[in-house]
Amino acid sequence: MSYSGTIQYLYSLQQYGIKFGLDNIRRLTNAFHHPHTSYSSIHVGGTNGKGSTAALIASILKNAGFRVGLFTSPHLVSFTERITVNGEEIAERDVMELAEVVRDSVERSKDFSPTFFEVVVMMAVLYFKRKQVDLAVFEVGMGGRFDATNIITPLVTVITTVSYDHKEFLGDTVQEIAREKAGIIKPGAPVVISSQEREAMEVIRNSARENNAKLYTYGEEFWSCLKRETTSEICFDYHTADSFEIREIVLPLAGDYQMHNASVAIQAAMIVLNRLQYGRGRNQTDRVITVIRDGLAAIKWPGRLEMIQETPPIVIDGAHNPAAAHALSKVLHKNFLKRFGSIILVLGIMGDKDLRGIMEPLLPLASEVILTAPAYSRAAAPERLAGIAASMGCSHVRIAQTLKDALDAAKTIAAGELTSGQLNPGHDDTQVDRNHIPLIVITGSFYTIGEAKEVIRGTGVLSRLRE
């Protein structure tokens, strides 16, 4: 299959939309003789933070000397971001070859139409076997119970914070959503979870109990304490109930919520290392601490409070639901408004999201708001977003039909604010008054920030396949 043929084939799979169920992926793995059983796995689900947590686990295990595959979604700029081994993205030629291998298998079967995501999961599973990984970390695509990644039987299961998202697929209540997320818990496999709302916690605890799976909960079996934070990193102490601790861990990711993700990743990685008998024996504690500390320090995870341009300063963040938007708002207010004079907000959101819930915590921070839409069929029209902003009393709003137009407008506004010294209304920080530096923040969806990054830094590989 040619490269253009690969593109056409993968694009064509999007016509099948999103289908929950494991029949298709089981049919594919059966056809390839269960390649996912040739290596050990870690499964990471949840609503927010699961991608960061998966990447942090992979980085720690790689630093311990293992060959580690990582599967995440969606990608920002290049399709190849989804499938990596020891931090190296899959090559285009391997994407082409694996797509052809899976396509041939599908076409030999009758009445078989796997979705785009199911085919991509199968490509990752095959690639990890081909590369002879020791371990593979799989991030759940959506939900968990019927997600295509749920074919694996992991060494450890991870569930990050559960909150409202994808209600049309997962349910209208936290309990219903948590039930879908807890569907990745397997009999006997330890479960590491972030702190949860009471309703979600009850569901997860019950599922762990039913599966005879030992539960490790943030705030109970392990916890952390933030020491300091900046716009580019955090520093924290990590503790466990059995008196293990790591002091002064430096993580090159912004936002105190990343401390929670990193703590969950540490606990999960420690369980894996213990099950693989890594670092056992006398005087091995320091070795494990060094592996964890260096593994976290080496993390590179794009799209999460990522500064993608210095002049003018532009930060992107994939806050795609209300919980993520509140977390972003908190970090912007706490850290970034100490360094920058004002915020110019570029916002593009998928139409099936809680639009008001995402906008409410972010709009009050901005001196100017530019509403736009990524080039994707599910994107909410900027005019629809403007109507919601107006109903919230937000008047400093303008509309841009494309991300490029929005970026051009934001840069023009930033240049004007820098010249005039205009600041965020009501901000009285004298250091900021001296700087008068506006910050452009692009958020609302991974589709939005991915396209923005592509506009600024150039084209990627199969960049439109962000499903």
Side-chain angles (χ1 to χ4, degrees), residues 212-246:
N212 194 29
K214 187 172 181 179
L215 190 63
Y216 298 81
T217 304
Y218 182 90
E220 297 182 18
E221 285 75 22
F222 65 101
W223 60 90
S224 48
C225 178
L226 184 68
K227 304 298 290 292
R228 58 186 180 274
E229 59 181 314
T230 70
T231 57
S232 60
E233 68 179 30
I234 60 173
C235 177
F236 66 96
D237 294 340
Y238 172 85
H239 305 268
T240 70
D242 57 2
S243 301
F244 177 81
E245 64 180 21
I246 309 177

Side-chain angles (χ1 to χ4, degrees), residues 420-442:
S420 66
Q422 181 180 338
L423 296 178
N424 199 38
H427 201 281
D428 59 0
D429 190 299
T430 55
Q431 181 62 43
V432 172
D433 289 342
R434 288 196 295 271
N435 288 338
H436 298 310
I437 301 173
L439 172 70
I440 298 171
V441 177
I442 306 170

Side-chain angles (χ1 to χ4, degrees), residues 275-411:
R275 293 192 67 173
L276 297 177
Q277 299 188 345
Y278 179 92
R280 287 190 175 181
R282 298 181 62 183
N283 304 318
Q284 291 298 302
T285 301
D286 288 345
R287 179 186 179 193
V288 172
I289 290 175
T290 299
V291 160
I292 292 170
R293 188 187 299 279
D294 292 349
L296 295 181
I299 188 68
K300 294 180 180 178
W301 194 234
R304 284 72 175 175
L305 280 168
E306 180 188 5
M307 182 76 73
I308 61 170
Q309 184 173 295
E310 295 290 341
T311 308
I314 300 177
V315 162
I316 60 173
D317 188 86
H320 62 290
N321 57 42
H326 277 283
L328 172 60
S329 174
K330 177 184 175 183
V331 175
L332 290 174
H333 181 76
K334 185 178 180 181
N335 295 325
F336 284 80
L337 279 175
K338 292 179 181 179
R339 176 180 173 188
F340 300 97
S342 63
I343 289 175
I344 302 165
L345 183 67
V346 176
L347 196 61
I349 312 173
M350 294 297 102
D352 54 357
K353 296 287 186 172
D354 181 353
L355 304 181
R356 179 179 289 271
I358 293 171
M359 296 170 72
E360 278 182 339
L362 296 172
L363 297 190
L365 293 177
S367 62
E368 293 286 343
V369 178
I370 304 171
L371 303 173
T372 187
Y376 193 71
S377 59
R378 283 173 43 219
E383 292 80 5
R384 181 182 173 192
L385 301 180
I388 296 172
S391 72
M392 294 167 56
C394 183
S395 58
H396 46 285
V397 170
R398 63 184 72 194
I399 287 175
Q401 294 301 327
T402 69
L403 252 300
K404 185 180 185 308
D405 290 342
L407 282 168
D408 289 343
K411 291 176 181 179

